[in-house]
Amino acid sequence: MSAQTETHAPSLPAPGRHVEESPPRIVPVRRTGQWAAAVVVLLLLAGALVSVVRNDAFQWDVVGAYLTTESVLRGLGLTLWLTGLVMVLGFALGTLLAVCRLSGNRVLQAVSWGYIWLFRSTPILVQLLFWFNIGALYPTILGVDTVNLLGPVAVAVIGLTLHEAAYAAEVVRGGILSVERGQLEAAQSLGLRPWRRLRRIVLPQAMRSIVPPAGNMLIGTLKGTSIVSIIAVQDLLYSVQLVYHRTYEVIPLLLVATLWYVAVTSLLSIGQYYVERHYARGTAGAR
């Protein structure tokens, strides 16, 4: 009996019968380069951190000893007070300048534009030195002796406020321009007065665009107040300078100031995040 080899032809689906196909296999993309770069960066950061901690030249024991001393905390308090006051006054004046810049009065537009141009074009150090020596230019103003009228703290407040107002004006102006024209027309149709429209309609909607740059200005102002040490205002930086001029421990005292600046700016950044999220409610970018 001879052996027969049977061949089976591939079976074909019956006409009109649907054959389910298995879904394609999803293969994750290999990110070997990214992981390798991340590991290298982490190793470099760890090495840098270890070198800073173990480097005796930083004198961390001295840093810890001076971090919460009375003079340093008093300088920190003056820095925070100066930052808060300058921001409030600067944005108050900046809002007024922004409104003048957007008004239909050509004189107000020109004056506002000239103010912004002048104070944005002049270095803040020059402005502080100018106000500090105002008595040499105008010994008396309206019969008032100006030679000893302004102390270092008053000069710092005036100089920083006028400087910040120029930048705040542009921030507020950009926020106002971001409000849709239809909102203004709707407010006008309700018969609201200009200042009421600005306070109740325009500014609440403009805050979504104003808050991010305003937060950056706040952090920049906090760090920028260190420049007032040039006119002997006893802020945080000037306080540590007084100490290291006496002890010659320059590096650890500068680290004291640096750690306080980092701590405060970190807190302000967290606050800025939540304020931005509050005003971004209802938008696609809210998170």
Side-chain angles (χ1 to χ4, degrees):
M1 184 175 180
S2 60
Q4 295 181 354
T5 303
E6 296 182 357
T7 59
H8 298 278
S11 59
L12 298 176
R17 186 177 180 181
H18 177 70
V19 179
E20 295 185 358
E21 297 182 356
S22 59
R25 181 183 178 187
I26 300 176
V27 179
V29 179
R30 297 183 181 273
R31 305 182 184 275
T32 307
Q34 293 185 9
W35 284 107
V39 170
V40 171
V41 171
L42 290 176
L43 290 176
L44 291 176
L45 289 176
L49 181 62
V50 170
S51 68
V52 170
V53 173
R54 293 186 176 181
N55 191 341
D56 295 334
F58 285 100
Q59 304 180 51
W60 291 109
D61 55 336
V62 179
V63 174
Y66 282 103
L67 190 63
T68 56
T69 56
E70 182 181 355
S71 61
V72 171
L73 293 179
R74 188 166 54 247
L76 175 63
L78 180 58
T79 294
L80 296 177
W81 174 82
L82 190 61
T83 302
L85 183 61
V86 166
M87 285 298 295
V88 171
L89 296 178
F91 265 88
L93 180 57
T95 302
L96 179 61
L97 291 170
V99 172
C100 292
R101 182 85 183 273
L102 295 172
S103 69
N105 190 312
R106 295 301 179 90
V107 175
L108 294 180
Q109 289 181 10
V111 172
S112 176
W113 180 89
Y115 178 98
I116 296 171
W117 166 78
L118 177 62
F119 282 91
R120 290 177 65 187
S121 303
T122 309
I124 180 59
L125 179 58
V126 175
Q127 297 179 34
L128 288 175
L129 293 176
F130 173 82
W131 290 108
F132 191 71
N133 295 281
I134 190 66
L137 297 175
Y138 298 97
T140 59
I141 297 178
L142 299 176
V144 179
D145 183 15
T146 60
V147 175
N148 299 315
L149 178 63
L150 299 178
V153 176
V155 169
V157 172
I158 293 174
L160 291 175
T161 297
L162 296 178
H163 176 77
E164 293 298 317
Y167 290 91
E170 291 299 280
V171 170
V172 174
R173 185 174 72 92
I176 293 175
L177 292 176
S178 67
V179 179
E180 296 181 2
R181 183 67 182 175
Q183 298 291 327
L184 299 176
E185 295 175 351
Q188 290 176 352
S189 65
L190 293 175
L192 298 179
R193 296 177 179 271
W195 282 105
R196 188 175 178 83
R197 290 200 303 265
L198 178 67
R199 183 171 58 89
R200 299 295 297 273
I201 304 297
V202 177
L203 285 181
Q205 297 185 61
M207 288 300 293
R208 187 170 62 248
S209 300
I210 292 175
V211 167
N216 293 333
M217 282 185 59
L218 176 60
I219 294 174
T221 302
L222 173 70
K223 297 182 295 182
T225 55
S226 61
I227 201 172
V228 301
S229 61
I230 198 68
I231 56 176
V233 175
Q234 198 167 346
D235 69 324
L236 177 59
L237 181 59
Y238 191 77
S239 298
V240 300
Q241 286 177 334
L242 290 178
V243 177
Y244 71 63
H245 284 158
R246 185 179 69 253
T247 63
Y248 300 103
E249 295 169 325
V250 179
I251 298 299
L253 268 301
L254 289 179
L255 282 174
V256 168
T258 300
L259 291 176
W260 276 118
Y261 280 121
V262 170
V264 176
T265 53
S266 300
L267 292 176
L268 291 177
S269 298
I270 295 173
Q272 178 185 354
Y273 167 77
Y274 284 104
V275 173
E276 287 183 14
R277 192 172 70 170
H278 170 76
Y279 283 104
R281 290 179 302 178
T283 62
R287 61 185 184 278

